[in-house]
Amino acid sequence: MRAVRTALDAGMPEAAVLQLVRVFADALGRVADAETRLFHFYVHEPLLADGAEPAEVIAATTAATDSLIDLMEPTLLYFHRKAWRRALRQDALVHLAQDVAPSGPIGQLPVTVLFVDLASFTTMTEMMGDEAAAEVLDRFSELVREEAGRCDGRVVKQIGDEFMLVFPSALIAVRYALHLAEATAGEAQFPALRMGAHTGSALYREADYLGATVNLAARVVGQAERDQLIVTRAVHDAVTGLSVDWVTLGERQLKGLSEPVELFLVSTMGAERRRTDPVCGMVLDAGRAVFRSSWQGRDVFFCSEDCRERFRAEPDRYHAARYATDP
């Protein structure tokens, strides 16, 4: 309550203070939940599986809890300071933009919103199982966040295999998308990406972004196929000084929108040495692929022995012609 009083005295209106409190509560609730659950999965359950006595488990839990509490506050402070400095840099860009264009309603910001997800992730999960799919998703999360840190982007939310990110400009967002595609292409095997972006104004509420710009970006990514970045005319026109081959897709009627939207395609990845597993949809480096099979005189590549055997049992089921290559 003293912190709330201080914020109000500093000039923040009650509505803004309430938003801030909710953000703190939600974010730190996730932190506490992660601490508890990860400790349970990786410490508590192995102790029980090894036959530890209840008193031993309680003692280990108490000791680890005390250590985590001592560590957590300085850790939170460290990451908060890093994020604070980054947020100040991005806020400076917002002020520069508002010097050129008049600001809108309170909480409205100029942003470029980009959605990225994994193509064929549902199929891959069905074929490989939840645990293997979770490992792929963990690696995807690492790549998304690493590249965002280098490009002044911010991960707003993750829902399953889809990430929503915001950037201070369309140029930075497109550059990020190309860098992310390059990073995933460097993996020996990884699902294809689908990305979509739009730039405009969005309302900032409780560490999230709302409004027509976000809604349109979400619809645009739905138009993307494997290894594609689809953007609106607004993004296309705002990107200068970047060597990109644009393909005009024309106007398309998107779900929930009354007017058609002009879209452009950026092919994000070369396909010279990349092949697709027809069973699970995993994209492979042909030079490093271990599993392959011959189908109608052509080579088909697979991520695992299991996928290869599934294909051999029912080759007509998996649309092999789309992914086979001449010998």
Side-chain angles (χ1 to χ4, degrees):
M1 294 307 296
R2 285 196 298 270
V4 169
R5 181 72 265 168
T6 300
L8 292 172
D9 291 343
M12 291 186 70
E14 183 177 318
V17 173
L18 287 174
Q19 283 194 51
L20 189 58
V21 170
R22 292 191 191 107
V23 171
F24 277 134
D26 290 344
L28 294 177
R30 292 184 62 195
V31 170
D33 186 65
E35 291 171 335
T36 303
R37 294 188 182 278
L38 292 176
F39 182 82
H40 175 79
F41 293 145
Y42 292 101
V43 179
H44 197 175
E45 286 191 351
L47 285 173
L48 293 174
D50 290 340
E53 295 295 329
E56 183 182 353
V57 174
I58 292 172
T61 301
T62 301
T65 300
D66 291 342
S67 298
L68 284 174
I69 290 175
D70 291 339
L71 174 66
M72 191 47 56
E73 290 188 0
T75 301
L76 290 174
L77 183 60
Y78 169 77
F79 282 111
H80 180 265
R81 285 176 174 171
K82 286 178 66 70
W84 178 271
R85 288 194 293 268
R86 185 178 178 190
L88 288 177
R89 290 198 305 270
Q90 293 179 344
D91 187 61
L93 293 176
V94 171
H95 284 294
L96 289 174
Q98 289 177 342
D99 286 341
V100 177
S103 61
I106 293 177
Q108 191 172 69
L109 296 170
V111 293
T112 299
V113 181
L114 181 137
F115 284 90
V116 54
D117 66 18
L118 298 175
S120 305
F121 185 72
T122 300
T123 301
M124 185 188 71
T125 302
E126 179 183 357
M127 296 299 173
M128 300 175 64
D130 290 344
E131 188 171 350
E135 291 179 0
V136 173
L137 195 57
D138 287 345
R139 180 57 180 154
F140 182 43
S141 177
E142 290 176 1
L143 293 172
V144 167
R145 296 174 195 280
E146 286 173 4
E147 294 301 324
R150 298 187 183 105
C151 296
D152 263 343
R154 187 168 78 81
V155 175
V156 177
K157 65 181 73 173
Q158 176 187 358
I159 302 176
D161 67 311
E162 183 175 67
F163 287 84
M164 172 185 165
L165 301 99
V166 294
F167 299 86
S169 74
L171 174 63
I172 295 175
V174 171
R175 184 180 290 127
Y176 166 84
L178 297 176
H179 288 175
L180 180 62
E182 183 178 357
T184 58
E187 301 287 304
Q189 56 185 46
F190 205 79
L193 303 185
R194 303 185 316 126
M195 294 182 275
H198 178 53
T199 191
S201 296
L203 288 173
Y204 182 86
R205 291 292 187 276
E206 297 181 18
D208 199 355
Y209 293 81
L210 312 171
T213 295
V214 178
N215 296 339
L216 180 51
R219 296 302 185 195
V220 169
V221 72
Q223 299 294 304
E225 298 181 2
R226 303 171 62 88
D227 296 330
Q228 287 187 347
L229 165 64
I230 305 291
V231 304
T232 59
R233 162 66 75 176
V235 172
H236 171 273
D237 291 351
V239 174
T240 58
L242 187 64
S243 179
V244 174
D245 293 327
W246 301 100
V247 177
T248 302
L249 299 179
E251 293 187 339
R252 293 190 181 181
Q253 189 67 53
L254 304 183
K255 182 179 179 181
L257 301 179
S258 58
E259 299 294 331
V261 178
E262 187 176 7
L263 300 178
F264 295 82
L265 162 68
V266 180
S267 182
T268 59
M269 193 157 34
E272 292 79 6
R273 293 178 57 81
R274 295 176 62 78
R275 302 292 180 258
T276 301
D277 184 327
V279 177
C280 68
M282 187 76 77
V283 180
L284 315 167
D285 183 328
R288 292 187 278 177
V290 175
F291 304 98
R292 64 181 67 189
S293 183
S294 178
W295 178 79
Q296 296 185 356
R298 292 184 285 176
D299 288 332
V300 185
F301 298 82
F302 304 91
C303 73
S304 65
E305 178 67 23
D306 183 58
C307 281
R308 181 168 66 180
E309 292 309 309
R310 286 174 182 264
F311 174 81
R312 286 175 173 173
E314 299 179 274
D316 295 335
R317 176 182 175 185
Y318 296 110
H319 307 290
R322 186 185 309 171
Y323 304 118
T325 62
D326 293 330

